[in-house]
Amino acid sequence: MGESTVTPLEGREQAVPQPVTARTRQRRLGSLRTPRRPRLWFEILLIAVSYWTYSLVRNAVPEQRGAALRNADWIWRAEHTLGIAMEESVNHAANSVTWLIVGMNYYYATLHFVVTLTVLVWLYRSHPGRYAAARLVLFATTAVALAGYYLYPLAPPRLMPGGDFVDTVAAHRTWGSMASGDLKHMSNQYAAMPSMHIGWSVWCGLTVFALARLPWVRILGVLYPTATLVVIVATANHFWLDAVGGVLCLAFGFAVARLWYGALPYTLPRSVPARRAVRTRLRTGSKT
């Protein structure tokens, strides 16, 4: 009898469609995590939509006046216990100098947006490889702040009963806070914790200090969040502890960026290759 032959299955196995391999999934994930050169039109649209969404969600949070005032009272008592309840003294001292407090009102109303957008534009132009990661820090910080507004409504010092704090915008009839004067019905007045004036300004300060080359520009990066802290307290818009909340949100934002990109934004390469070169490199699996 002849020996039976066994037909190899190698050809059949090759004909069967293979599932997506772990290597392919890794390449796709790597593609998403690879810093790319930002596109101007996309960034403008993204920032505009994100800010619109932020404002919509923030102002849609129910104005829980009773809970907000109770929380403000608790914060105020906690700061007395800690020995840091100096907001009232700072508020009255700044309010006694008209030109100073008027300047602070305009500072509070404008620089929060102007400086943040300026730093974003600078990153886009001069540090494209770090832009997306730094932007992710800012967006994650803002997103977790929205949860804070919903879970912990807080009245600013100027709205606490008793009249001890001065609402400097109303007192000097300046265009300042969206939650004061004639604009108070357009914004949620009980979204003081955390302070995004601090969260955003510290982000700006760290970015400028870490990446700027000129020493005097780096010094300005440090001074900006410091001045912002004084302004938010002097205008009675925030407690000191609101600033702590803003810094904690920023720390969360940095953690998100670190997990996604595997590095802090400021340690990533300054420039990135063109998108076509990135796609070619990922397809070929080259690491160079």
Side-chain angles (χ1 to χ4, degrees):
M1 296 178 62
E3 295 182 356
S4 61
T5 59
V6 178
T7 303
L9 299 177
E10 295 174 354
R12 297 181 186 177
E13 292 177 353
Q14 290 178 358
V16 177
Q18 296 295 311
V20 177
T21 64
R23 186 176 181 181
T24 302
R25 288 194 296 266
Q26 187 176 5
R27 284 182 183 176
R28 290 178 179 176
L29 184 60
S31 176
L32 292 174
R33 290 180 170 179
T34 300
R36 302 177 182 182
R37 187 176 300 277
R39 296 177 177 177
L40 181 59
W41 69 267
F42 176 78
E43 294 304 323
I44 293 175
L45 179 62
L46 179 63
I47 291 172
V49 171
S50 298
Y51 181 72
W52 175 81
T53 304
Y54 165 75
S55 300
L56 183 67
V57 175
R58 181 183 186 273
N59 297 334
V61 173
E63 292 196 3
Q64 305 176 53
R65 184 176 184 274
L69 291 175
R70 287 193 299 272
N71 290 335
D73 183 65
W74 186 92
I75 290 285
W76 190 226
R77 286 186 284 109
E79 288 193 349
H80 274 89
T81 302
L82 295 172
I84 60 173
M86 298 177 291
E87 290 92 335
E88 186 179 339
S89 299
V90 175
N91 173 237
H92 284 270
N95 188 64
S96 65
V97 183
T98 302
W99 65 267
L100 177 62
I101 197 61
V102 168
M104 286 184 172
N105 286 341
Y106 290 126
Y107 179 115
Y108 184 88
T110 59
L111 291 192
H112 177 52
F113 306 104
V114 172
V115 175
T116 304
L117 287 174
T118 300
V119 173
L120 280 170
V121 171
W122 173 62
L123 282 171
Y124 176 87
R125 292 175 58 87
S126 302
H127 300 268
R130 298 159 179 157
Y131 174 85
R135 183 198 61 201
L136 177 59
V137 173
L138 189 64
F139 280 27
T141 298
T142 306
V144 76
L146 289 174
Y149 299 147
Y150 184 84
L151 297 173
Y152 195 79
L154 180 69
R158 58 185 176 77
L159 292 183
M160 292 182 67
D164 295 329
F165 287 93
V166 179
D167 185 337
T168 59
V169 170
H172 296 276
R173 299 182 180 277
T174 56
W175 179 76
S177 171
M178 283 291 291
S180 293
D182 296 335
L183 300 176
K184 64 184 179 182
H185 299 297
M186 298 174 60
S187 178
N188 183 1
Q189 299 187 73
Y190 303 115
M193 172 66 85
S195 169
M196 279 299 92
H197 273 73
I198 292 300
W200 289 12
S201 67
V202 174
W203 175 86
C204 291
L206 288 175
T207 301
V208 171
F209 182 80
L211 300 180
R213 295 180 178 179
L214 297 176
W216 66 269
V217 177
R218 300 182 72 195
I219 292 173
L220 287 178
V222 175
L223 291 178
Y224 173 58
T226 304
T228 301
L229 177 61
V230 175
V231 166
I232 66 172
V233 171
T235 56
N237 279 294
H238 289 283
F239 296 99
W240 299 120
L241 290 181
D242 298 345
V244 175
V247 172
L248 291 177
C249 289
L250 182 63
F252 172 83
F254 273 108
V256 170
R258 176 67 175 81
L259 288 172
W260 183 253
Y261 287 99
L264 292 175
Y266 313 133
T267 62
L268 293 171
R270 178 173 182 172
S271 59
V272 290
R275 290 173 178 266
R276 184 175 300 173
V278 172
R279 287 194 295 267
T280 302
R281 186 181 65 188
L282 290 170
R283 276 199 303 268
T284 60
S286 173
K287 296 182 180 180
T288 58

